[in-house]
Short mmCIF file of all heavy atoms in Angstrom, two decimals:
data_model
loop_
_atom_site.label_atom_id
_atom_site.label_comp_id
_atom_site.label_asym_id
_atom_site.label_seq_id
_atom_site.Cartn_x
_atom_site.Cartn_y
_atom_site.Cartn_z
N PRO U 189 -50.61 -33.11 22.71
CA PRO U 189 -52.07 -33.25 22.19
C PRO U 189 -52.06 -34.34 21.11
O PRO U 189 -51.30 -34.38 20.16
CB PRO U 189 -52.39 -31.87 21.73
CG PRO U 189 -51.22 -31.22 21.34
CD PRO U 189 -50.17 -31.76 22.21
N GLY U 190 -53.00 -35.22 21.28
CA GLY U 190 -53.36 -36.20 20.18
C GLY U 190 -52.30 -37.25 20.09
O GLY U 190 -52.28 -38.17 19.21
N ALA U 191 -51.19 -37.29 20.77
CA ALA U 191 -50.16 -38.40 20.79
C ALA U 191 -50.47 -39.44 21.84
O ALA U 191 -51.23 -39.35 22.69
CB ALA U 191 -48.84 -37.70 21.00
N LYS U 192 -49.75 -40.58 21.62
CA LYS U 192 -49.97 -41.63 22.56
C LYS U 192 -49.19 -41.33 23.81
O LYS U 192 -48.41 -40.25 23.92
CB LYS U 192 -49.38 -42.92 21.99
CG LYS U 192 -47.95 -42.93 21.63
CD LYS U 192 -47.52 -44.23 21.13
CE LYS U 192 -45.99 -44.37 20.91
NZ LYS U 192 -45.45 -43.42 19.89
N CYS U 193 -49.53 -42.04 24.94
CA CYS U 193 -48.87 -41.64 26.21
C CYS U 193 -47.37 -41.58 25.99
O CYS U 193 -46.65 -42.49 25.76
CB CYS U 193 -49.21 -42.86 27.20
SG CYS U 193 -50.74 -42.69 27.90
N ASP U 194 -46.99 -40.30 26.20
CA ASP U 194 -45.54 -39.97 25.95
C ASP U 194 -45.08 -38.95 26.91
O ASP U 194 -45.92 -38.13 27.53
CB ASP U 194 -45.36 -39.59 24.51
CG ASP U 194 -44.00 -40.04 23.96
OD1 ASP U 194 -43.11 -40.49 24.70
OD2 ASP U 194 -43.83 -39.98 22.75
N TYR U 195 -43.73 -38.90 27.13
CA TYR U 195 -43.20 -37.90 27.96
C TYR U 195 -42.49 -36.77 27.17
O TYR U 195 -41.74 -37.13 26.10
CB TYR U 195 -42.09 -38.40 28.83
CG TYR U 195 -42.55 -39.53 29.83
CD1 TYR U 195 -42.43 -40.78 29.62
CD2 TYR U 195 -43.30 -39.18 30.92
CE1 TYR U 195 -42.81 -41.92 30.41
CE2 TYR U 195 -43.65 -40.10 31.77
CZ TYR U 195 -43.40 -41.52 31.54
OH TYR U 195 -43.92 -42.48 32.41
N THR U 196 -42.80 -35.49 27.42
CA THR U 196 -42.09 -34.38 26.66
C THR U 196 -40.70 -34.20 27.12
O THR U 196 -39.87 -33.70 26.39
CB THR U 196 -42.89 -33.06 26.67
OG1 THR U 196 -43.17 -32.77 28.01
CG2 THR U 196 -44.14 -33.20 25.91
N ILE U 197 -40.50 -34.58 28.37
CA ILE U 197 -39.06 -34.51 28.97
C ILE U 197 -38.57 -36.01 28.75
O ILE U 197 -39.19 -36.86 29.37
CB ILE U 197 -39.04 -33.88 30.36
CG1 ILE U 197 -39.44 -32.46 30.22
CG2 ILE U 197 -37.59 -34.10 30.88
CD1 ILE U 197 -39.43 -31.61 31.49
N GLN U 198 -37.41 -36.09 28.07
CA GLN U 198 -37.02 -37.55 27.83
C GLN U 198 -35.54 -37.81 28.04
O GLN U 198 -34.79 -36.72 28.13
CB GLN U 198 -37.24 -37.66 26.26
CG GLN U 198 -38.60 -37.55 25.74
CD GLN U 198 -38.79 -37.49 24.28
OE1 GLN U 198 -37.72 -37.34 23.50
NE2 GLN U 198 -39.99 -37.41 23.77
N VAL U 199 -35.20 -39.07 28.22
CA VAL U 199 -33.78 -39.42 28.27
C VAL U 199 -33.29 -39.69 26.84
O VAL U 199 -34.00 -40.60 26.20
CB VAL U 199 -33.64 -40.60 29.19
CG1 VAL U 199 -32.15 -40.96 29.30
CG2 VAL U 199 -34.07 -40.35 30.62
N GLN U 200 -32.30 -39.05 26.39
CA GLN U 200 -31.99 -39.04 24.94
C GLN U 200 -30.61 -39.56 24.71
O GLN U 200 -29.67 -39.09 25.43
CB GLN U 200 -32.10 -37.64 24.46
CG GLN U 200 -31.94 -37.66 22.82
CD GLN U 200 -32.06 -36.25 22.25
OE1 GLN U 200 -31.06 -35.50 22.45
NE2 GLN U 200 -33.09 -35.83 21.68
N LEU U 201 -30.48 -40.66 23.98
CA LEU U 201 -29.16 -41.25 23.72
C LEU U 201 -28.69 -40.84 22.34
O LEU U 201 -29.44 -40.80 21.35
CB LEU U 201 -29.30 -42.83 23.69
CG LEU U 201 -28.15 -43.66 23.14
CD1 LEU U 201 -27.00 -43.49 24.13
CD2 LEU U 201 -28.57 -45.16 23.18
N ARG U 202 -27.37 -40.35 22.25
CA ARG U 202 -26.92 -40.06 20.97
C ARG U 202 -25.48 -40.59 20.64
O ARG U 202 -24.71 -40.77 21.57
CB ARG U 202 -26.83 -38.41 21.01
CG ARG U 202 -28.13 -37.69 21.07
CD ARG U 202 -27.99 -36.12 20.99
NE ARG U 202 -27.67 -35.72 19.59
CZ ARG U 202 -27.69 -34.43 19.25
NH1 ARG U 202 -27.72 -33.50 20.14
NH2 ARG U 202 -27.40 -34.08 17.94
N PHE U 203 -25.35 -40.84 19.34
CA PHE U 203 -24.12 -41.45 18.96
C PHE U 203 -23.45 -40.46 17.89
O PHE U 203 -24.28 -39.85 17.23
CB PHE U 203 -24.19 -42.81 18.28
CG PHE U 203 -24.56 -43.86 19.21
CD1 PHE U 203 -25.85 -44.22 19.43
CD2 PHE U 203 -23.65 -44.65 19.84
CE1 PHE U 203 -26.39 -45.20 20.40
CE2 PHE U 203 -24.02 -45.63 20.80
CZ PHE U 203 -25.33 -45.93 20.95
N CYS U 204 -22.12 -40.27 17.75
CA CYS U 204 -21.53 -39.62 16.67
C CYS U 204 -20.21 -40.13 16.52
O CYS U 204 -19.58 -40.89 17.21
CB CYS U 204 -21.65 -38.14 17.05
SG CYS U 204 -20.50 -37.58 18.31
N LEU U 205 -19.57 -39.48 15.37
CA LEU U 205 -18.05 -39.81 15.21
C LEU U 205 -17.33 -39.08 16.22
O LEU U 205 -17.71 -38.00 16.69
CB LEU U 205 -17.75 -39.42 13.78
CG LEU U 205 -18.23 -40.20 12.63
CD1 LEU U 205 -17.84 -39.45 11.32
CD2 LEU U 205 -17.56 -41.57 12.62
N CYS U 206 -16.20 -39.69 16.69
CA CYS U 206 -15.39 -39.10 17.71
C CYS U 206 -14.49 -37.99 17.08
O CYS U 206 -13.24 -38.22 16.84
CB CYS U 206 -14.55 -40.23 18.40
SG CYS U 206 -13.93 -39.66 20.01
N GLU U 207 -15.14 -36.91 16.71
CA GLU U 207 -14.39 -35.77 16.00
C GLU U 207 -14.52 -34.56 16.87
O GLU U 207 -15.64 -34.24 17.37
CB GLU U 207 -15.07 -35.55 14.71
CG GLU U 207 -14.59 -36.46 13.59
CD GLU U 207 -13.16 -36.17 13.09
OE1 GLU U 207 -12.79 -35.16 13.06
OE2 GLU U 207 -12.56 -37.14 12.53
N THR U 208 -13.46 -33.88 17.07
CA THR U 208 -13.56 -32.58 17.96
C THR U 208 -13.40 -31.30 17.13
O THR U 208 -13.40 -30.27 17.62
CB THR U 208 -12.40 -32.70 18.98
OG1 THR U 208 -11.11 -32.88 18.30
CG2 THR U 208 -12.55 -33.86 19.99
N SER U 209 -13.23 -31.43 15.81
CA SER U 209 -13.01 -30.24 15.04
C SER U 209 -14.24 -29.29 14.96
O SER U 209 -14.11 -28.20 14.79
CB SER U 209 -12.66 -30.71 13.52
OG SER U 209 -13.45 -31.59 12.89
N CYS U 210 -15.47 -29.83 15.02
CA CYS U 210 -16.74 -29.06 14.84
C CYS U 210 -17.82 -29.82 15.46
O CYS U 210 -17.75 -31.04 15.76
CB CYS U 210 -16.95 -28.77 13.39
SG CYS U 210 -17.23 -30.33 12.39
N PRO U 211 -18.94 -29.16 15.73
CA PRO U 211 -20.20 -29.83 16.25
C PRO U 211 -20.56 -31.12 15.44
O PRO U 211 -20.67 -30.83 14.21
CB PRO U 211 -21.15 -28.83 16.50
CG PRO U 211 -20.42 -27.52 16.52
CD PRO U 211 -19.27 -27.75 15.62
N GLN U 212 -20.85 -32.23 16.02
CA GLN U 212 -21.08 -33.34 15.25
C GLN U 212 -22.54 -33.73 15.11
O GLN U 212 -23.36 -33.52 16.07
CB GLN U 212 -20.37 -34.60 16.04
CG GLN U 212 -18.96 -34.62 15.97
CD GLN U 212 -18.40 -34.68 14.54
OE1 GLN U 212 -18.55 -35.57 13.83
NE2 GLN U 212 -17.66 -33.62 14.11
N GLU U 213 -22.97 -34.15 14.05
CA GLU U 213 -24.31 -34.77 13.72
C GLU U 213 -24.49 -36.14 14.24
O GLU U 213 -23.37 -36.78 14.47
CB GLU U 213 -24.62 -34.77 12.15
CG GLU U 213 -24.82 -33.49 11.64
CD GLU U 213 -25.46 -33.62 10.19
OE1 GLU U 213 -25.34 -34.71 9.59
OE2 GLU U 213 -25.90 -32.54 9.68
N ASP U 214 -25.62 -36.57 14.55
CA ASP U 214 -25.86 -37.95 15.08
C ASP U 214 -25.34 -38.90 13.87
O ASP U 214 -25.56 -38.70 12.76
CB ASP U 214 -27.29 -38.34 15.29
CG ASP U 214 -27.77 -37.53 16.51
OD1 ASP U 214 -28.13 -36.22 16.31
OD2 ASP U 214 -27.80 -37.97 17.49
N TYR U 215 -24.62 -39.93 14.38
CA TYR U 215 -24.02 -40.90 13.38
C TYR U 215 -23.97 -42.23 14.04
O TYR U 215 -23.24 -42.47 15.14
CB TYR U 215 -22.65 -40.38 12.83
CG TYR U 215 -22.17 -41.12 11.71
CD1 TYR U 215 -22.23 -40.70 10.35
CD2 TYR U 215 -21.48 -42.35 11.82
CE1 TYR U 215 -21.84 -41.36 9.24
CE2 TYR U 215 -21.04 -42.92 10.67
CZ TYR U 215 -21.19 -42.39 9.33
OH TYR U 215 -20.64 -43.09 8.40
#
Side-chain angles (χ1 to χ4, degrees):
K192 60 181 187 297
C193 278
D194 213 345
Y195 299 102
T196 50
I197 295 182
Q198 302 169 354
V199 180
Q200 187 182 77
L201 170 65
R202 296 184 74 179
F203 293 90
C204 69
L205 287 169
C206 200
E207 281 284 334
T208 55
S209 55
C210 60
Q212 293 297 300
E213 285 191 346
D214 292 83
Y215 194 97

